[in-house]
Structures are given as structure tokens and as C-alpha cells.
Amino acid sequence: RPRRRPDAVYADRAYDHDKYRRLVRAKGITPLIARRGVGHGSGLGTHRWVVEQTFALLHWFRRLRIRWEIRDDIHEAFLSLACGIICWRRLRNLTLC
């Protein structure tokens, strides 16, 4: 597939600087960066929540929290297994009406 630039970039308050906004706009991307000093509720959390929830679900599996295996293929196998279990639990609880 051809590589495409994103339409927008979401960032938290740590990147609230005009320099970063200019660099992103120069690439033709809309920056959606939370401003410092502004109350929460900017909408950034609705987009980041899915990723943060996925990391939280993966941390339920103790072997993935701290990498004990020396070989990376074994760690990747446990990661794939954990993702499969998470998807299976989600689909099992899904009500199909």
C-alpha cells in the first residue's frame, strides 16, 4: 500500500509549543494539540482511550508486564495469545441482537 500522511495529529500538553505546531502544519497535517492552562475536556481522551485501555488489558497478563523470556519469539507468542484472549472475551460478551 502507498504510504499516506495523516490528516491530523493528536498530542497532549507536553507538545504545546508553537514550534511543534508550525512543523506539523508545514507537512500539511492539522495539529490537534491540547493547550496548557486550559481545562480538560478538549476531546483528546476519546481518541487515546482505546490505546490506553489496550495497554491496561495487556498488563493483566503478568508474563507481559515484565519480560522474562530471553527469546523475543516466545514473548511475541505470549503477546499474540493475550490479544486473542482479549478479543475472545470481548466477542463473548457482545450481544448480537
Side-chain angles (χ1 to χ4, degrees):
R1 295 185 309 220
R3 186 174 167 187
R4 295 184 313 139
R5 290 181 191 237
D7 295 329
V9 171
Y10 295 92
D12 57 6
R13 286 174 175 76
Y15 298 99
D16 182 28
H17 196 276
D18 291 335
K19 175 179 115 176
Y20 299 123
R21 292 179 195 278
R22 278 194 305 269
L23 290 171
V24 172
R25 280 194 188 105
K27 301 275 185 189
I29 302 170
T30 306
L32 298 172
I33 301 173
R35 297 248 182 222
R36 291 180 192 220
V38 177
H40 294 284
S42 61
L44 181 61
T46 58
H47 298 284
R48 291 184 60 189
W49 188 75
V50 176
V51 175
E52 291 171 356
Q53 182 188 26
T54 305
F55 285 134
L57 288 171
L58 287 173
H59 276 96
W60 274 91
F61 297 93
R62 186 174 180 191
R63 290 190 81 115
L64 294 176
R65 212 176 308 158
I66 300 171
R67 185 174 166 189
W68 299 102
E69 292 81 19
I70 295 172
R71 294 175 41 195
D72 59 346
D73 58 338
I74 294 175
H75 182 74
E76 187 177 352
F78 279 120
L79 182 65
S80 298
L81 183 63
C83 290
I85 291 171
I86 291 169
C87 290
W88 177 71
R89 287 178 183 167
R90 289 282 174 128
L91 290 173
R92 184 182 62 185
N93 293 334
L94 185 67
T95 58
L96 300 174
C97 296

